[in-house]
């Protein structure tokens, strides 16, 4: 245990402390003011999102309170958090357990595999706390205030928060350890890591949909009575896909009263069981899955002739090609880039295919909607398809220790940005095209509204890409040890997505108000949004081009 | 030609003075060896010359151009071999060479002949189509070297190029260095190996604690010190003061 703690301390330092320390450089006065301005901007951006979140919580609470089912709000929050951890934990765990650069140092040390695995598990766990805190803590606190809960709730809150990710992460770790062991038998490890992770995601997602919706919607009388007489009717219904969410909710609300000790016992037993299996399996399989994971399948002594020399490509295209190859050949970057760009459309497709019953109203609503309104919906959807991959906001960070090459080659920084821009645009376009195809297949969409939606989406995406580059060139994270650090756990990517959401939210909210109050006809609103994005794109690009030289020069390595 | 004037650079907000008021000139057609104990400031100086670090004070002129004022022109004159051969590990050797050829604007014909020649000499012919990720430390160094040759630089800057190379490759590298300087071009490299410096260099600079302690031809250095049989003795004498 002592070794685990020492290891954990080192890993946490490497994962969290060093960037923070490095960031604490002394700034000149002007820069300090810039940073304050930036923080204010981020706050202003985050505020409406936060407000909207609280608003939704209150509405749901007011809906559920009268029927005595308000508890379900907590279950819903916990369940969503846990399922997301189950799914996205896969990437973190593959990346931190297997693809992180400290493994080469750790294997030769006299430490047992399960000690390494435990300390790595806790590193990921600590990281998850930071990720879930902004979502789950406001829910817990606001619920507590709304429901006017007893003191015990507040006392239990920190523990509940700490317990939420434990079981889902342990399950994912177990699955990943087994998966990596299997992958290690094969020669094409890079490809299999991607395929395996995606299959695992499907494995987790599909059961969520396959629960037959017809039975749930048609409750018989007895069920209805049960549902309303028990306080936890809805809790149990929501949580039945992932029981730990029920256990946590009930322990949270009741403590030891109301038979909730049973839930606690269940929770602890399952946690202990999972941990024991993780330790046992980890001891057996972890290193076997790890060793040779960096091996490349090469065919030695095979000479390919004649050498395929390129005939002097343009500088922009050679930068573009470099970005493309470096990203698509690194499994973790590919997953976070192209694949996550295609993820939303494909995900949408599955949801609607599996749940046509529940989304039928949505589809017919889309079909009946006014042409311009539909195009606005589509624009928002396409921007989400193209904008949530962190390609632009991690572009500099991804270069990592190879960044010196970008600084010594005789390619102007503006040219480099152009190549990078094309690459980010290509990745986002894949998402947008995917989105367009899915909507064309699923809905009877008018072609004109599709094109009008695409117009806004493409211009908006261009603006967001420029913003992403500005964010990342300001302070790229160049000394990462795991690929995940450079993308998913990169603050620049996080801020980028935050900014996107905030802008989309504000535009959407104003549109709804303008339409409902009939402030302006729809075509004016459409034009307004179009012009807004055109201006945003122009400003963002001009700012990027104006500052990029200075920012590059400032990055010293 | 490389002219460094009153160069200074410190790390950690001035706490570590890595290079202090360093001035020296490297003439065209000259092999200049840069010696110094670990942590003396060799790499820091080199990184300033190639534009990775911005000097706190002082100026760097390359063939008469200031590297702050004309960064692009200066970069296109330089080829740089870093201490740690960190290059794009997901590309193949050939893709890397082509990338370098593209950005330095080397015609495809020249690339082909040079690459074929040097990959043969360095024994990389079989590996050139493989991912750099599968390369050994020395192989990475060699592919960077081939890239640098493809770039056809006016000024060659190498940071400890000989460590990690096998004897045959080290020998070839020394030939490259000679060849380069015979064409009247400039070469600047740092090293720890005294015999190499003694045999290879036209002039030698010795740096310690960020300051240039001595600079000149082998004969001049011998003249400056008391017991001057070998460069090693001179080096020890100068750096232990
Ligand atoms: N990134 C950095 N941050 C802080 N200090 C640094 C950094 N890089 C170098 N230094 C310090 O600057 C000084 C000079 O380092 P430099 O790398 O130039 O030495 P060197 O002569 O190349 O040594 P070696 O022969 O070991 O390669 C050393 O004291 C070192 O500790
Ligand atoms: Mg050095």
């Amino acid at each position: 245990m002592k070794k685990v703690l020492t290891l954990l301390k080192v890993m946490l330092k490497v994962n969290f402390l060093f960037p923070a320390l490095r960031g604490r450089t002394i700034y000149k006065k002007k820069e300090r003011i810039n940073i304050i301005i930036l923080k204010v901007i981020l706050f202003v951006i985050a505020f409406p999102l936060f407000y909207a979140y609280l608003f939704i919580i209150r509405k749901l609470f007011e809906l559920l309170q009268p029927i005595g089912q308000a508890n379900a709000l907590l279950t819903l929050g916990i369940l969503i958090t846990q399922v997301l951890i189950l799914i996205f934990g896969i990437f973190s765990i593959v990346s931190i357990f297997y693809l992180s650069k400290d493994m080469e140092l750790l294997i030769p040390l006299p430490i047992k595999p399960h000690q390494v695995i435990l300390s790595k598990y806790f590193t990921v766990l600590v990281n998850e706390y930071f990720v879930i805190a902004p979502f789950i803590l406001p829910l817990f606190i606001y619920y507590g205030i709304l429901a006017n809960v007893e003191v015990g709730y507040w006392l239990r809150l920190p523990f509940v928060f700490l317990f939420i990710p434990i079981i889902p992460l342990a399950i994912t770790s177990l699955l990943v350890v087994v998966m990596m062991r299997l992958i290690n038998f094969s020669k094409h490890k890079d490809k299999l890591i991607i395929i395996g992770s995606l299959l695992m995601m499907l494995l987790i997602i599909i059961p969520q949909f396959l629960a037959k919706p017809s039975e749930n919607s048609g409750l018989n009388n007895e069920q209805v009575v049960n549902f309303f007489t028990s306080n936890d009717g809805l809790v149990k219904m929501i949580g039945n896909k992932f029981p730990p969410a029920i256990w946590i909710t009930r322990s949270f609300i009741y403590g030891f009263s109301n038979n909730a000790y049973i839930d606690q016992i269940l929770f602890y037993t399952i946690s202990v069981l999972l941990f024991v299996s993780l330790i046992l399996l980890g001891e057996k399989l972890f290193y076997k899955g790890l060793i040779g994971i960096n091996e490349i399948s090469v065919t030695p002594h095979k000479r390919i002739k004649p050498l395929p020399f390129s005939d002097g490509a343009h500088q922009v295209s050679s930068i573009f090609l470099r970005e493309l190859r470096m990203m698509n050949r690194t499994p973790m970057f590919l997953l976070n880039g192209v694949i996550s760009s295609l993820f939303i459309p494909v995900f949408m497709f599955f949801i609607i295919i599996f749940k046509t019953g529940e989304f039928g109203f949505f589809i017919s609503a889309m079909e009946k909607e006014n042409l311009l309104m539909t195009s606005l919906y589509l624009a928002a959807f396409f921007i989400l398809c193209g904008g949530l991959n962190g390609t632009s906001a991690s572009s500099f960070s991804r270069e990592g220790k190879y960044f010196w090459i970008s600084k010594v080659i005789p390619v102007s920084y503006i040219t480099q940005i152009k190549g990078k821009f094309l690459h980010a645009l290509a990745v986002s376009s894949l998402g947008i095209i995917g989105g367009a195809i899915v909507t064309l297949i699923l809905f009877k969409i008018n072609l004109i509204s599709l094109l009008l939606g695409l117009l806004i989406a493409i211009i908006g995406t261009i603006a967001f890409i420029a913003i992403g580059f500005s964010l990342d060139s300001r302070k790229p994270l160049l000394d990462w040890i795991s690929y995940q650090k450079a993308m998913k756990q990169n603050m620049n990517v996080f801020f980028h997505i935050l900014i996107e959401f905030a802008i989309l939210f504000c535009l959407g909210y104003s549109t709804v108000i303008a339409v409902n109050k009939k402030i302006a006809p729809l075509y004016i609103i459409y034009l307004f949004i179009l012009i807004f994005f055109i201006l945003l794109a122009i400003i963002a690009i001009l700012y990027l081009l104006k500052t990029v030289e200075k920012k590059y020069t400032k990055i010293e390595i | 030609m490389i002219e460094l004037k009153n160069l200074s650079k410190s790390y950690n907000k001035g706490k570590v003075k890595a290079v202090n008021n360093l001035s020296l000139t490297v003439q065209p057609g000259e092999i200049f060896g840069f010696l110094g104990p670990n942590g003396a400031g060799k790499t820091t100086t080199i990184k300033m010359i190639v534009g990775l670090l911005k000097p706190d004070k002082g100026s760097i002129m390359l063939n008469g151009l200031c590297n702050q004022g004309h960064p692009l022109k200066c970069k296109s004159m330089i080829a740089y071999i870093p201490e740690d051969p960190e290059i794009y590990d997901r590309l193949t050797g050939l893709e890397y060479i082509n990338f370098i050829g593209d950005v330095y604007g080397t015609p495809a014909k020249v690339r082909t002949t040079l690459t074929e020649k040097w990959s043969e000499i360095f024994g990389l012919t079989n590996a050139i189509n493989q991912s750099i990720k599968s390369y050994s430390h020395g192989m990475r160094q060699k592919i960077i070297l081939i890239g640098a040759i493809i770039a056809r630089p006016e000024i060659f800057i190498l940071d400890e190029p000989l460590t990690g190379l096998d004897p045959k490759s080290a020998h070839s590298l020394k030939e490259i260095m000679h060849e380069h300087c015979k064409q009247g071009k400039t070469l600047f490299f740092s090293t720890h190996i005294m015999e190499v410096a003694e045999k290879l260099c036209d002039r030698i600079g010795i740096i310690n604690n960020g300051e240039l302690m001595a600079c000149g031809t082998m004969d001049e250095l011998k003249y400056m010190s008391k017991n001057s049989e070998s460069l090693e003795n001179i080096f020890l004498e100068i750096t232990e003061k």
Side-chain angles (χ1 to χ4, degrees):
Chain A
M1 203 59 207
K2 219 175 131 202
K3 275 186 185 163
V4 175
L5 283 179
T6 322
L7 265 181
L8 179 63
K9 224 159 69 191
V10 175
M11 284 182 197
L12 287 180
K13 259 191 198 156
V14 172
N15 267 289
F16 298 105
L17 217 54
F18 281 160
L21 280 181
R22 212 176 28 117
R24 215 182 294 148
T25 40
I26 288 191
Y27 290 102
K28 291 188 199 109
K29 214 175 195 171
K30 200 180 143 206
E31 290 177 70
R32 227 180 305 159
I33 293 171
N34 278 344
I35 288 169
I36 293 172
I37 293 176
L38 196 88
K39 282 192 177 146
V40 172
I41 292 177
L42 279 176
F43 182 77
V44 171
I45 286 170
F47 188 75
L49 285 180
F50 190 64
Y51 180 80
Y53 185 46
L54 293 187
F55 179 79
I56 293 171
I57 294 175
R58 205 181 68 227
K59 279 283 163 220
L60 281 175
F61 184 85
E62 283 165 3
L63 200 74
L64 294 171
Q65 175 76 344
I67 51 170
Q69 304 293 335
N71 299 346
L73 202 52
L74 294 177
T75 319
L76 191 66
I78 294 170
L79 179 78
I80 292 176
T81 316
Q82 291 189 319
V83 170
L84 287 182
I85 291 176
L86 265 181
I87 296 171
F88 291 104
I90 299 173
F91 295 161
S92 303
I93 288 169
V94 171
S95 164
I96 290 187
F97 278 29
Y98 289 91
L99 301 176
S100 115
K101 312 216 157 151
D102 56 356
M103 282 320 300
E104 280 171 27
L105 302 175
L106 289 177
I107 294 181
L109 296 181
I111 328 169
K112 294 235 169 69
H114 75 261
Q115 292 168 328
V116 178
I117 224 174
L118 276 185
S119 47
K120 292 223 160 209
Y121 171 86
F122 285 112
T123 316
V124 182
L125 189 67
V126 171
N127 183 58
E128 292 300 334
Y129 289 137
F130 286 106
V131 177
I132 67 171
F135 303 103
I136 202 76
L137 285 182
L139 172 68
F140 285 176
I141 295 171
Y142 198 40
Y143 175 88
I145 296 169
L146 288 173
N148 201 6
V149 289
E150 29 124 21
V151 186
Y153 177 94
W154 298 109
L155 293 180
R156 288 188 292 268
L157 193 149
F159 296 100
V160 169
F161 171 71
L162 292 178
F163 281 131
I164 287 175
I166 288 184
I167 288 185
L169 263 191
I171 295 175
T172 309
S173 304
L174 271 172
L175 291 174
V176 167
V177 167
V178 174
M179 176 185 95
M180 292 302 280
R181 176 66 194 112
L182 294 178
I183 283 176
N184 208 302
F185 285 118
S186 157
K187 252 167 75 181
H188 307 280
K189 296 183 185 101
D190 272 8
K191 279 177 206 136
L192 276 178
I193 288 177
I194 294 171
I195 296 171
S197 312
L198 290 177
L199 279 182
M200 256 178 77
M201 280 173 83
L202 285 183
L203 203 79
I204 296 168
I205 293 171
I206 288 184
Q208 311 290 327
F209 293 128
L210 286 187
K212 295 141 242 146
S214 52
E215 278 176 34
N216 277 348
S217 45
L219 294 170
N220 59 35
N221 282 344
E222 195 187 344
Q223 276 173 317
V224 175
V225 172
N226 264 341
F227 182 87
F228 282 107
T229 45
S230 140
N231 270 332
D232 303 319
L234 193 53
V235 168
K236 283 177 180 153
M237 200 178 112
I238 291 178
N240 76 359
K241 304 244 173 70
F242 195 69
I246 303 178
W247 306 334
I248 295 186
T249 319
R250 286 183 42 89
S251 329
F252 192 9
I253 293 167
Y254 304 120
F256 287 99
S257 62
N258 215 340
N259 281 344
Y261 65 92
I262 297 178
D263 297 271
Q264 303 206 11
I265 291 172
L266 275 170
F267 179 87
Y268 293 127
T269 324
I270 296 291
S271 304
V272 169
L273 279 179
L274 282 172
F275 264 98
V276 171
S277 0
L278 186 59
I279 288 175
L280 291 179
L281 261 170
E283 187 69 36
K284 277 227 164 66
L285 299 183
F286 183 41
Y287 277 9
K288 283 196 187 128
L290 188 64
I291 285 166
I293 205 68
N294 280 320
E295 239 169 63
I296 308 289
S297 58
V298 288
T299 33
H301 309 302
K302 194 178 122 208
R303 173 151 186 202
I304 302 164
K305 255 201 136 181
L307 298 177
F309 278 95
S310 89
D311 209 19
H314 193 275
Q315 285 188 335
V316 174
S317 57
S318 54
I319 297 282
F320 171 81
L321 213 59
R322 177 200 67 184
E323 293 290 311
L324 187 83
R325 286 170 171 160
M326 286 301 286
M327 187 154 183
N328 291 0
R329 291 177 190 177
T330 312
M332 278 300 136
F333 291 164
L334 181 66
L335 279 172
N336 286 322
V338 172
I339 290 181
S340 87
S341 183
L342 288 173
F343 185 76
I344 302 176
V346 173
F347 191 69
M348 268 291 286
F349 184 77
F350 277 115
I351 289 187
I352 292 178
I353 288 286
F354 279 122
K355 298 215 141 183
T356 10
E358 289 168 37
F359 284 88
F361 77 94
F362 182 64
I363 295 174
S364 50
M366 281 287 276
E367 281 159 3
K368 270 186 224 127
E369 215 31 285
N370 168 306
L371 185 134
L372 277 174
M373 202 58 210
T374 316
S375 71
L376 287 180
Y377 285 140
L378 289 177
F381 174 58
F382 293 154
I383 289 183
L384 286 181
C385 289
L388 294 186
N389 66 84
T391 310
S392 64
S394 69
S395 188
F396 296 89
S397 303
R398 280 199 317 269
E399 287 192 44
K401 58 181 193 264
Y402 309 124
F403 191 75
W404 69 270
I405 302 178
S406 292
K407 285 205 72 167
V408 302
I409 51 176
V411 179
S412 76
Y413 298 139
I414 291 200
T415 310
Q416 297 196 25
I417 271 288
K418 283 182 194 158
K420 280 171 177 287
F421 203 102
L422 286 181
H423 172 245
L425 193 59
V427 175
S428 295
S429 303
L430 271 181
I432 295 178
I433 293 170
I437 292 175
V438 167
T439 38
L440 269 182
I441 295 176
L442 292 179
F443 309 123
K444 289 189 211 97
I445 296 277
N446 184 321
L447 210 60
I448 294 177
S449 54
L450 183 78
L451 290 179
L452 286 176
L454 277 177
L455 180 66
I456 289 187
I458 288 168
I459 295 170
T461 304
I462 288 175
F464 285 135
I465 290 175
I467 292 174
F469 282 127
S470 286
L471 272 175
D472 197 40
S473 59
R474 199 181 69 85
K475 215 177 190 184
L477 183 66
L478 294 176
D479 54 350
W480 36 265
I481 57 157
S482 78
Y483 297 103
Q484 200 71 351
K485 213 66 224 158
M487 282 199 82
K488 265 283 142 65
Q489 297 173 16
N490 188 339
M491 283 317 266
N492 297 337
V493 175
F494 174 73
F495 285 142
H496 186 225
I497 290 177
L498 195 68
I499 290 174
E500 286 182 345
F501 270 130
I503 291 179
L504 286 184
F505 171 76
C506 289
L507 283 177
Y509 193 70
S510 345
T511 307
V512 169
I513 288 184
V515 170
N516 283 348
K517 301 209 166 152
K518 301 213 164 57
I519 292 175
L522 213 47
Y523 73 93
I524 296 278
I525 296 176
Y526 179 90
L527 278 181
F528 172 81
I529 293 177
L530 183 64
I531 291 170
F532 172 84
F533 275 123
I534 291 177
L535 285 180
L536 187 68
I538 291 174
I539 293 170
I541 289 175
L542 286 182
Y543 177 78
L544 177 65
L545 291 180
K546 195 169 161 264
T547 52
V548 67
E549 294 271 349
K550 224 195 222 157
K551 283 174 174 163
Y552 256 106
T553 320
K554 236 187 218 162
I555 304 170
E556 296 194 332
I557 36 166
Chain B
M1 189 160 87
I2 305 172
E3 296 161 276
L4 310 181
K5 272 199 203 109
N6 308 96
L7 267 196
S8 296
K9 176 77 192 176
S10 56
Y11 291 109
N12 297 340
K13 308 156 210 161
K15 273 189 215 140
V16 184
K17 272 220 154 88
V19 173
N20 194 5
N21 205 18
L22 185 137
S23 303
L24 60 83
T25 305
V26 183
Q27 297 296 339
E30 192 173 73
I31 298 188
F32 188 91
F34 203 38
L35 310 186
N38 293 130
K42 301 182 293 295
T43 300
T44 308
T45 310
I46 287 178
K47 280 186 172 177
M48 283 192 281
I49 299 176
V50 300
L52 286 174
L53 295 175
K54 193 168 176 279
D56 294 342
K57 271 198 217 103
S59 70
I60 299 165
M61 306 288 273
L62 302 168
N63 286 352
L65 285 176
C66 170
N67 86 336
Q68 300 291 316
H70 303 271
L72 265 191
K73 279 186 188 152
C74 285
K75 285 178 192 176
S76 59
M77 288 191 283
I78 299 178
Y80 161 59
I81 312 285
E83 215 171 5
D84 306 313
E86 301 279 12
I87 44 167
Y88 304 128
D89 61 350
R90 304 282 163 168
L91 302 191
T92 68
L94 194 61
E95 283 166 351
Y96 173 75
I97 299 284
N98 269 326
F99 174 73
I100 294 294
D102 286 347
V103 296
Y104 281 88
T106 310
K109 246 197 192 145
V110 183
R111 286 182 213 182
T112 320
T113 33
L114 285 178
T115 311
E116 276 177 352
K117 175 180 166 197
W118 287 104
S119 54
E120 198 69 54
I121 292 176
F122 283 139
L124 278 188
T125 320
N126 290 326
I128 197 131
N129 273 313
Q130 287 166 9
S131 167
I132 291 178
K133 203 159 181 263
S134 70
Y135 283 20
S136 72
H137 185 272
M139 287 159 83
R140 285 172 205 226
Q141 262 178 305
K142 290 178 198 169
I143 202 80
I144 300 185
L145 264 171
I146 298 179
I149 293 167
I150 298 290
R152 297 181 300 173
E154 291 291 316
I155 300 170
F156 226 125
I157 295 186
L158 308 98
D159 199 352
E160 293 181 31
L162 293 159
T163 28
L165 288 185
D166 57 50
K168 186 170 160 268
S169 310
H171 180 76
S172 313
L173 172 59
K174 285 182 228 163
E175 272 178 6
I176 299 179
M177 292 162 79
H178 266 307
E179 195 59 37
H180 181 80
C181 291
K182 252 197 244 155
Q183 298 165 9
K185 297 174 179 173
T186 314
L187 194 145
F188 183 104
F189 79 109
S190 75
T191 185
H192 287 293
I193 312 170
M194 293 299 149
E195 298 83 55
V196 172
E198 199 168 348
K199 276 190 202 141
L200 206 62
C201 299
D202 300 311
R203 279 168 70 236
I204 290 167
I206 297 176
I207 182 177
N208 194 15
N209 291 326
E211 295 188 31
L212 193 66
M213 310 299 286
C215 183
T217 60
M218 203 47 218
D219 290 337
E220 285 168 352
L221 289 183
K222 276 184 183 162
Y223 187 73
M224 277 166 60
S225 63
K226 281 167 254 155
N227 58 344
S228 50
E229 266 68 78
S230 66
L231 183 60
E232 189 171 351
N233 287 342
I234 301 173
F235 179 83
L236 292 176
E237 191 190 318
I238 289 176
T239 53
E240 267 162 27
K241 255 187 250 171

